[in-house]
Every structure is written in structure tokens, then in C-alpha cells.
Amino acid sequence: MPLSEQEQRLLDEMERHLMQNDADVVSAPAGAQVLSYRNLIIGALVVLAGLGAVIAGIALWRTSLPLGLALGVAGFAAMLGGVILAVTPVKGSAPTPRSTGAGRGPRPARANSSFMDRINERWERRQNGDG
């Protein structure tokens, strides 16, 4: 059974709305910060070096308590610094918002009402026989 013209228009509008929402979901929020790949790699290497220092401090604990303690604390500080470095966003580089509505022309007059509200209104009109 083929769709009527009104049903086809409604389906097309729903598809456009879903495509627009999918693009909004995929694009990053305007206030999001970008992590640096370089900082992630360096941070991971610093964490591994700190872990090695902690293990070396534990190994030296029995032979030289002050040296093992100092090495363990320094290793822990290095691991903490590496994690902080890895998760710190790059300053001055926010993602550029993608234009999803370019070239689509003016918005409908009822742009302030939500998509679902408009669908519900149409459904009620259809059930009442208004067209």
C-alpha cells in the first residue's frame, strides 16, 4: 500500500530531522576540549617510568630504606604527573562546530516547537479528520 503525499512528506521530514540529530550527536559539544595525542603518549611513558621507579623503590626497600622510600615517592609523583599530563586538554584549541544546516533555507515558522510536538499536533489533526 503506497503512502499518501502527506505521509510521504512526514516521513521525509522525520528522516531529515533524524539526520540532523545524528550529526549533532556525532559532532563534539561547543564547550568540549581536545586532548593532545602527543600529551597522551608522553603521559603514558611518564606513568610507565614512574611505575618502574616504584618497583625499583620496593626492591631497594630492604637494602636502603631512605633510598627505596625516596624512589617510591618520586615514582608515585611521576605516575600522578603523567596521568595529569595525559588528560589535560590542549590550551587554545576548541573544536570548530560543524554546520549542519547550511544551505537548507529558512526555518519553518514554528521552529520554537519541538519536532515531537509538531508530530503530535499532526497526529491529533489527522485523528480528528482535519487533514
Side-chain angles (χ1 to χ4, degrees):
M1 180 171 165
L3 297 175
S4 69
E5 287 183 33
Q6 182 182 4
E7 291 170 335
Q8 186 64 41
R9 283 193 310 265
L10 181 60
L11 181 61
D12 290 340
E13 184 178 345
M14 289 172 65
E15 286 176 352
R16 282 192 308 271
H17 182 71
L18 285 173
M19 294 296 279
Q20 188 176 23
N21 282 350
D22 288 345
D24 291 343
V25 169
V26 172
S27 66
Q33 298 284 329
V34 177
L35 295 179
S36 168
Y37 182 73
R38 183 184 65 88
N39 283 358
L40 286 172
I41 298 298
I42 293 173
L45 291 175
V46 170
V47 167
L48 288 176
L51 183 61
V54 167
I55 292 173
I58 292 171
L60 290 175
W61 182 270
R62 294 213 181 233
T63 59
S64 173
L65 180 65
L67 182 62
L69 184 62
L71 198 54
V73 169
F76 177 77
M79 289 183 354
L80 184 63
V83 168
I84 290 173
L85 176 67
V87 299
T88 302
V90 178
K91 293 181 182 178
S93 68
T96 58
R98 288 195 277 188
S99 167
T100 58
R104 292 198 181 168
R107 294 291 242 178
R110 293 186 295 175
N112 59 352
S113 65
S114 74
F115 175 74
M116 289 307 294
D117 290 339
R118 289 181 288 175
I119 296 297
N120 287 333
E121 288 174 15
R122 289 179 182 171
W123 178 256
E124 289 171 7
R125 280 186 295 184
R126 186 173 186 187
Q127 293 300 317
N128 294 335
D130 294 339

